[in-house]
Amino acid sequence: MKEKQQNILIIGAGLCGSLLALRLAQRGYNVSIYEKRPDLRKVDISAGRSINLAFSDRGNKAMKLVGIEHKVKTLCIPMHGRMIHDVHGNTFQSNYSGRANEYINSISRGALNSLLLDEAEKHKNVNIYFNKKCKSVDFEKTTALFKDHHTKDEFVEDADVIIATDGAGSVMRKSYYLAKKFLFSFSQNYLTHGYKELSILPKENSDYKIHKNALHIWPRKSFMLIALPNLDGSFTVTLFLSYNEGEYNFNNLTSEARVLEFFQKEFPDALAVMPNLLDDFFSNPTSPSGTIKCSPWHYKGNTLLMGDAAHAIVPFYGQGMNASFEDVVEFDAILNKYKGNWETVFSEYEKTRKKDTDAIADLAIDNFHEMKDHVANPIFQEKRKIEMALEKEFPNDYSSKYSLVTFNENIGYHEAMLQGRAQDKAILNMLSDGEISLSDDMKSILKKVKTETTTILENNRIAGLQ
């Protein structure tokens, strides 16, 4: 069966869907994408609802696959580490890696999505339809019901295969669940914290008001503020705060005076560069953040969930987009092996991929606690200094958990999680017990860390924790 004879229907023209369409078009498939929103290249639809994205090696691997790495690079601002702000306005930078060539990038969701749509549309075998909302999917017949936003008409589209990349609120996933035609497992767990997008505007000369090449964090134990740079000199700022717990929460920040009081007390240096704070705070929505896991992702050889539709995660490892892009890379590799047999392709893809998407979901929750609290803890800071020194002195022999997850795109998230957690435990245990310190010989520390990590991994294996 030739690939070009197949008609693929993709639900959702976001980052994952547009990349998938581009890659499938390159492979010769006929691709139709249906998107419920307007064309983001013509209408601004993101204000207050889009956390800035951290683009790293796993995502870049996908850009290399479709041949647009050089175009994406022009949209990126390198961030070499976390710039930590204490409550008095003092700062220090904690680099992401001891290797100079390892850093993450701030990138505009809209600009990247637009680029992917433009590249997909260059192919004559791609058609993109906007303002077409999917109402349901008949996964047995491989058809989808849509409603046109303007005419209000409903219509049915069919295809050889339907792939849903329609995000955390996936309609096809809902159709799986409601139809009760097969055993479908689904979990959705929200954080007690919501988020609100704010901004730091550029100086009058379009320069940056705070250090450009870092991800800024104001960690405050139970809540935090973060800021990522944009190409126009501004920063996208996001407040993560409980809905109803603590002295200040989203439910009681209802007046301008109280919001100013909160920022003056907790983020005075941020407030000093945010004269637009109140406008942003009361104009932009407060949105929830959560984790979605489900299985199976597919129904026979007819339909497949991909990206956030299959595995939505909280944003604190900066891997949501990268994981969805990696989905396309992994899917493409499976297609190379089993093209023509969709049921096998879907089954093998999920078997290969799910353990890794479950792992990054768990790691993202871990990093939420790390960012709002642990980064300000002295023993954590000492651990990071040791890890940076090890990576700098032994670049081929040691990678921290963060580096394994973010910069080692050739190992899966699951493997990175197991190795990284064991290393973290080893270093923290030895620091607590006084067995290692920053003043020790680094070669000696490396040997101890490797030995202790191996022991922890073996104990976990015996206990069935891997």
Side-chain angles (χ1 to χ4, degrees):
M1 185 180 293
K2 295 181 180 179
E3 291 181 286
K4 66 182 180 181
Q5 294 175 329
Q6 298 287 294
N7 296 309
I8 313 296
L9 191 159
I10 297 174
I11 304 170
L15 292 167
C16 185
S18 52
L19 173 64
L20 178 65
L22 171 57
R23 184 56 187 155
L24 290 175
Q26 290 174 341
R27 295 184 69 106
Y29 292 101
N30 295 318
V31 182
S32 295
I33 315 176
Y34 288 83
E35 168 59 50
K36 69 179 181 181
R37 298 169 299 179
D39 188 342
L40 59 78
R41 295 167 295 181
K42 301 174 182 177
V43 180
D44 182 12
I45 58 175
S46 62
R49 294 187 178 275
S50 174
I51 296 175
N52 240 38
L53 301 170
F55 178 72
S56 55
D57 294 47
R58 294 178 193 272
N60 198 47
K61 187 176 182 179
M63 300 304 102
K64 290 178 182 178
L65 175 67
V66 295
I68 60 170
E69 177 191 12
H70 61 293
K71 293 183 179 180
V72 174
K73 190 173 183 179
T74 64
L75 304 176
C76 292
I77 300 175
M79 298 185 294
H80 299 285
R82 297 164 171 165
M83 184 68 74
I84 313 298
H85 298 245
D86 72 15
V87 74
H88 304 294
N90 302 310
T91 62
F92 73 90
Q93 183 162 320
S94 175
N95 282 351
Y96 287 123
S97 173
R99 291 174 281 267
N101 64 319
E102 292 182 344
Y103 53 86
I104 63 175
N105 299 276
S106 178
I107 194 166
S108 160
R109 177 192 296 272
L112 181 55
N113 204 161
S114 295
L115 172 62
L116 290 168
L117 289 169
D118 287 344
E119 293 296 320
E121 279 188 332
K122 288 179 180 179
H123 296 264
K124 293 181 179 179
N125 50 333
V126 173
N127 290 292
I128 308 176
Y129 306 94
F130 296 97
N131 295 301
K132 307 288 189 288
K133 181 179 181 178
C134 184
K135 303 268 290 182
S136 64
V137 176
D138 187 328
F139 46 84
E140 292 181 306
K141 295 181 180 177
T142 325
T143 61
L145 174 66
F146 293 93
K147 183 176 183 178
D148 186 288
H149 175 72
H150 297 298
T151 67
K152 308 304 180 186
D153 292 336
E154 294 189 354
F155 59 96
V156 174
E157 292 291 333
D158 66 353
D160 295 298
V161 167
I162 299 176
I163 302 177
T165 57
D166 51 343
S170 174
V171 173
M172 190 162 84
R173 192 184 65 237
K174 185 178 180 180
S175 293
Y176 280 180
Y177 177 76
L178 292 177
K180 295 181 170 55
K181 295 289 183 70
F182 60 96
L183 297 176
F184 181 71
S185 299
F186 168 71
S187 68
Q188 178 172 282
N189 296 296
Y190 285 109
L191 293 178
T192 56
H193 288 55
Y195 70 88
K196 186 182 288 287
E197 189 170 286
L198 309 167
S199 61
I200 295 174
L201 301 178
K203 294 179 179 178
E204 289 186 6
N205 64 358
S206 298
D207 199 4
Y208 295 84
K209 290 181 178 176
I210 57 178
H211 180 63
K212 173 184 177 182
N213 297 110
L215 189 156
H216 293 259
I217 307 180
W218 290 258
R220 299 297 183 263
K221 292 189 180 297
S222 61
F223 55 91
M224 67 175 169
L225 196 70
I226 68 170
L228 282 77
N230 297 310
L231 290 172
D232 65 358
S234 68
F235 282 79
T236 299
V237 181
T238 311
L239 172 64
F240 295 94
L241 182 68
S242 173
Y243 280 102
N244 54 27
E245 296 175 355
E247 181 183 358
Y248 298 98
N249 56 63
F250 279 126
N251 287 350
N252 66 30
L253 288 176
T254 55
S255 70
E256 293 187 352
R258 187 159 176 80
V259 171
L260 288 173
E261 174 190 301
F262 172 49
F263 270 74
Q264 186 59 59
K265 179 180 178 181
E266 299 292 349
F267 316 115
D269 59 327
L271 178 60
V273 292
M274 297 173 70
N276 51 306
L277 168 65
L278 294 176
D279 287 341
D280 285 345
F281 195 94
F282 290 103
S283 297
N284 293 338
T286 303
S287 303
S289 188
T291 301
I292 288 172
K293 296 180 181 180
C294 67
S295 67
W297 293 346
H298 66 285
Y299 179 78
K300 298 182 178 178
N302 298 2
T303 57
L304 174 71
L305 299 168
M306 188 179 288
D308 283 359
H311 51 78
I313 65 175
V314 295
F316 305 107
Y317 229 109
Q319 287 296 306
M321 169 188 63
N322 294 289
S324 291
F325 282 173
E326 192 175 63
D327 283 356
V328 177
V329 175
E330 295 298 315
F331 184 70
D332 188 70
I334 299 295
L335 266 180
N336 287 335
K337 292 182 181 180
Y338 305 105
K339 59 185 178 184
N341 186 336
W342 288 112
E343 187 164 2
T344 301
V345 167
F346 292 171
S347 177
E348 290 299 312
Y349 166 69
E350 181 172 351
K351 190 184 301 180
T352 301
R353 189 69 181 140
K354 191 172 190 313
K355 67 179 185 300
D356 287 326
T357 59
D358 283 351
I360 193 56
D362 295 342
L363 284 165
I365 295 291
D366 290 351
N367 224 40
F368 172 55
H369 300 295
E370 180 174 309
M371 291 173 71
K372 67 181 173 61
D373 185 8
H374 303 166
V375 292
N377 186 305
I379 194 170
F380 177 86
Q381 292 172 6
E382 190 170 0
K383 177 181 82 73
R384 286 299 292 161
K385 288 176 183 177
I386 285 176
E387 289 183 313
M388 294 303 97
L390 289 173
E391 288 185 338
K392 185 175 182 179
E393 194 160 335
F394 308 104
N396 299 319
D397 293 319
Y398 185 83
S399 289
S400 69
K401 181 177 70 178
Y402 189 89
S403 290
L404 289 169
V405 170
T406 308
F407 306 123
N408 284 262
E409 70 273 21
N410 294 318
I411 68 171
Y413 287 123
H414 184 257
E415 181 184 343
M417 178 181 72
L418 295 178
Q419 178 73 21
R421 282 179 170 175
Q423 287 177 180
D424 282 355
K425 187 175 181 180
I427 295 174
L428 288 169
N429 284 349
M430 288 189 285
L431 280 172
S432 296
D433 295 341
E435 295 179 25
I436 58 172
S437 74
L438 269 171
S439 60
D440 294 348
D441 173 68
M442 281 294 130
K443 193 170 185 178
S444 170
I445 291 178
L446 178 64
K447 184 177 179 180
K448 289 179 179 179
V449 170
K450 281 184 170 291
T451 300
E452 182 64 14
T453 298
T454 300
T455 299
I456 291 169
L457 284 169
E458 179 61 17
N459 289 341
N460 287 347
R461 185 190 66 79
I462 293 170
L465 299 177
Q466 294 187 15

